[in-house]
């Protein structure tokens, strides 16, 4: 990897996002956490500055600046506010199935509205009884003439109630396991679609996480993504490209906490000197910064791999989400420790960062699932190299 992986243009965009994050987003972060209200004002800010266009190609009205740039922007925003960083990550997660599998017609219908930020999307895979085991889902879709009729519900859906479209996974063949799942675009005004309870939660409080219901919900047959029965593959291809977005959120939270802890440790004195000069605190700061830098190395590597069209991405993407999520939790916990009692109270942002970090170990596949994925891919690689040796 080059020492400076970002081009001059990418550094300019990063600096613009960094300035907006510091000046306009950071001052709202504590309020958003306190009120747990979805920050529409910051969606407007991201729209105005074309930041919601970062995941999209120019021909659909996006910036055409690629995945690495998107990840850098998510990191910059998440340094100050993980809820707002997630809004940008979701613009990618909720659009990826359309970007990857959509017909020209589907892309032209949806991507420009998503690239301008007029519409927010959601990705609806999880159900009350199926999280890690996605194939156990019970939502069904049956074909009736030119329509599909969906019945069932999804749980823990980010952007529930604020999204204009939902990419929904449902069984078109309930007996076929993975091979019976199909993917659909459901617009929020579709008949039979309803939003249920929005969950109160530990962190990323301004982001909505809710239930959505399909009661004889009718969508045109043209809203099927890919072919019937390909939904599980669609879902996994999305996750290979979206997990780095969560990794970027995690690195942002970790770096934000490290920067704050460093500043605090320079100013806080005990026993006649700044705590940053006590070796035990200095060691913590050094470990925190080192973990952030190592995590960023993986993050940039996966961003560049996606921009270069490298395949397969599954192992690298899972490793990146795994490592970045784990260090985010470790680093933010240490940041609270560096601030001592002040770390534990709401006057300072590190307790919020610690609460926000936890979700990066859970969504888009828990850390246990990432480890299973990485180990499975290692075994596949080993089998392939053994076979190549025999041939
Ligand atoms: C704030 C929030 C936002 C979310 N946003 C979305 C969203 O936008 N779209 C969406 O579809 N989903 C979303 N989710 C759901 C999330 O992806 C799931 O919660 C997650 O995948 C885990 O599923 P589960 O909660 O059912 O846990 P379970 O699958 O029940 O797992 C419970 C525990 O068992 C472990 N476990 C399960 N299976 C295995 C195994 N085979 N081996 C080892 N350990 C295992 C898990 O790692 C976990 O520790 C969100 C969740 C939250 C909390």
């Amino acid at each position: 990897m080059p020492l400076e992986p970002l081009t001059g243009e990418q550094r300019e965009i990063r600096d613009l996002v960094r300035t907006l994050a510091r000046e306009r987003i950071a001052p709202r972060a504590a309020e958003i956490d306190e009120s747990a209200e979805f920050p529409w004002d910051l969606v407007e800010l991201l729209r105005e500055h074309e930041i919601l266009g970062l995941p999209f190609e120019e021909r659909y009205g996006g910036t055409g600046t690629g995945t690495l740039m998107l990840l850098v922007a998510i990191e910059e925003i998440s340094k100050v506010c993980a809820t707002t960083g997630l809004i940008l990550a979701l613009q990618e997660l909720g659009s990826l199935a359309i970007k990857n599998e959509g017909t020209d017609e589907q892309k032209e219908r949806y991507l420009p509205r998503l690239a301008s930020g007029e519409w927010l999307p959601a990705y609806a895979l999880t159900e009350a009884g199926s999280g890690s085991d996605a194939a156990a889902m019970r939502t069904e879709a049956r074909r009736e003439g030119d329509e599909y009729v969906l019945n069932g519900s999804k749980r823990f859906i980010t952007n529930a109630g604020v999204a204009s479209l939902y990419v929904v996974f449902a069984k078109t063949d309930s007996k076929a396991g993975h091979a019976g799942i199909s993917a659909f675009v459901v617009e929020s005004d579709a008949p039979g679609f309803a939003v249920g309870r929005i969950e109160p939660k530990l962190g990323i409080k301004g982001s909505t996480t809710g239930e959505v219901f399909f009661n004889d919900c009718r969508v045109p047959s043209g809203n099927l993504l890919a072919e019937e029965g390909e939904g599980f593959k669609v879902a996994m291809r999305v996750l290979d490209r979206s997990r780095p977005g969560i990794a970027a959120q995690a690195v942002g939270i970790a770096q934000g906490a490290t920067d704050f802890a460093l500043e605090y440790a320079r100013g806080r004195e005990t026993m006649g000197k700044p705590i940053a000069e006590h070796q035990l605190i200095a060691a913590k700061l050094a470990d925190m910064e080192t973990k952030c830098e190592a995590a960023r190395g993986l993050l940039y590597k996966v961003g560049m791999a996606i921009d270069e069209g490298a395949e397969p991405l599954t192992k690298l993407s899972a490793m990146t989400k795994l490592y970045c999520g784990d260090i985010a939790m470790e680093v933010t916990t240490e940041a609270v420790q560096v601030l001592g009692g002040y770390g534990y109270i709401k006057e300072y942002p590190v307790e919020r960062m610690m609460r926000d970090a936890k979700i990066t170990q859970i969504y888009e596949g828990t850390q246990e699932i990432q480890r299973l994925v990485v180990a499975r891919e290692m075994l596949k690689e080993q089998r392939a190299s053994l076979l190549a040796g025999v041939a």
Side-chain angles (χ1 to χ4, degrees):
M1 188 161 70
L3 266 180
E4 176 47 78
L6 302 184
T7 63
E9 191 203 356
Q10 286 172 327
R11 287 202 299 275
E12 271 175 34
I13 299 175
R14 179 198 60 196
D15 293 347
L16 166 83
V17 177
R18 186 175 285 174
T19 306
L20 278 177
R22 278 194 192 143
E23 293 178 0
R24 307 282 300 276
I25 301 175
R28 287 276 287 117
E31 271 166 21
I32 293 168
D33 180 59
E34 197 60 35
S35 68
E37 277 174 16
F38 185 75
W40 280 111
D41 58 322
L42 297 184
V43 171
E44 195 47 48
L45 181 78
L46 300 183
R47 280 181 187 141
E48 270 170 31
H49 292 272
E50 293 181 42
I51 293 171
L52 292 176
L54 285 170
F56 303 93
E57 292 174 42
E58 277 180 288
R59 67 179 145 152
Y60 298 114
T63 56
T65 43
T67 301
L68 176 60
M69 188 67 251
L70 170 66
L71 298 177
V72 168
I74 296 171
E75 181 194 339
E76 287 301 328
I77 297 172
S78 303
K79 276 183 188 171
V80 301
C81 178
T83 287
T84 312
L86 183 59
I87 292 172
L88 178 55
L90 245 290
Q91 208 67 9
E92 169 81 332
L93 169 67
S95 306
L96 268 168
I98 302 171
K99 293 202 300 181
N100 291 347
E101 325 289 340
T103 59
D104 289 345
E105 206 184 326
Q106 288 169 333
K107 288 181 180 170
E108 268 149 35
R109 179 169 166 77
Y110 295 119
L111 297 185
R113 290 177 192 176
L114 294 164
S116 68
E118 180 194 344
W119 279 18
L120 302 180
Y123 175 84
L125 180 67
T126 303
E127 299 184 2
S130 68
S132 305
D133 185 8
M137 71 175 61
R138 298 177 68 172
T139 298
E140 290 189 342
R142 64 172 195 279
R143 177 105 192 214
E144 271 188 17
D146 284 345
E147 291 180 324
Y148 281 94
V149 183
L150 277 73
N151 276 291
S153 63
K154 297 282 170 181
R155 194 153 192 211
F156 295 153
I157 304 308
T158 302
N159 277 358
V162 299
S164 298
L165 77 79
Y166 296 73
V167 169
V168 178
F169 297 86
K171 289 243 168 106
T172 39
D173 179 350
S174 59
K175 296 189 190 75
H178 293 91
I181 297 172
S182 303
F184 301 90
V185 177
V186 177
E187 295 181 28
S188 58
D189 58 1
F193 173 81
V195 176
R197 192 165 68 122
I198 302 297
E199 308 287 350
K201 54 190 186 298
L202 178 72
I204 54 160
K205 288 191 177 185
S207 171
T208 64
T209 309
E211 276 179 301
V212 292
F213 295 99
F214 311 93
N215 297 313
D216 282 332
C217 173
R218 291 180 176 271
V219 298
S221 57
N223 285 23
L224 175 72
L225 289 166
E227 301 292 324
E228 264 192 33
E230 290 190 348
F232 191 77
K233 283 188 205 148
V234 173
M236 295 305 121
R237 271 199 294 268
V238 167
L239 292 175
D240 279 351
R241 283 166 181 73
S242 67
R243 284 177 176 154
I246 298 309
Q249 184 194 30
V251 175
I253 299 169
Q255 189 67 62
T258 303
D259 296 347
F260 194 90
L262 176 69
E263 191 59 31
Y264 183 88
R266 262 185 345 119
R268 175 79 173 171
E269 289 194 8
T270 66
M271 290 136 204
K273 58 182 178 181
I275 58 168
E277 290 174 24
H278 293 302
Q279 286 183 355
L280 290 176
I281 296 296
K284 283 189 200 301
L285 293 170
D287 287 349
M288 289 158 72
E289 180 82 345
T290 305
K291 286 175 183 174
C292 289
E293 194 62 25
R296 190 173 299 107
L298 269 175
L299 184 68
Y300 280 28
K301 182 173 174 176
V302 75
M304 286 189 283
I306 295 173
D307 286 338
E308 284 164 14
E311 290 280 356
L313 291 166
T314 306
K315 181 179 158 205
L316 179 59
S317 168
M319 287 195 308
T320 306
K321 195 262 178 187
L322 171 63
Y323 187 74
C324 297
D326 281 355
I327 70 101
M329 201 63 235
E330 290 164 19
V331 165
T332 53
T333 306
E334 283 296 66
V336 170
Q337 196 66 23
V338 169
L339 269 72
Y342 292 94
Y344 199 74
I345 63 170
K346 283 187 182 278
E347 187 178 343
Y348 292 96
V350 289
E351 61 83 30
R352 165 169 53 81
M353 291 167 166
M354 186 177 95
R355 287 184 287 105
D356 286 345
K358 184 62 200 170
I359 192 60
T360 68
Q361 295 185 304
I362 295 173
Y363 56 15
E364 296 204 24
T366 62
Q367 303 302 73
E368 289 76 15
I369 295 301
Q370 306 307 320
R371 288 187 166 89
L372 291 179
V373 170
V374 173
R376 187 190 65 207
E377 293 300 309
M378 288 164 70
L379 289 169
K380 263 198 222 165
E381 286 170 4
Q382 196 193 39
R383 261 196 306 274
S385 74
L386 285 174
L387 283 174
V390 170

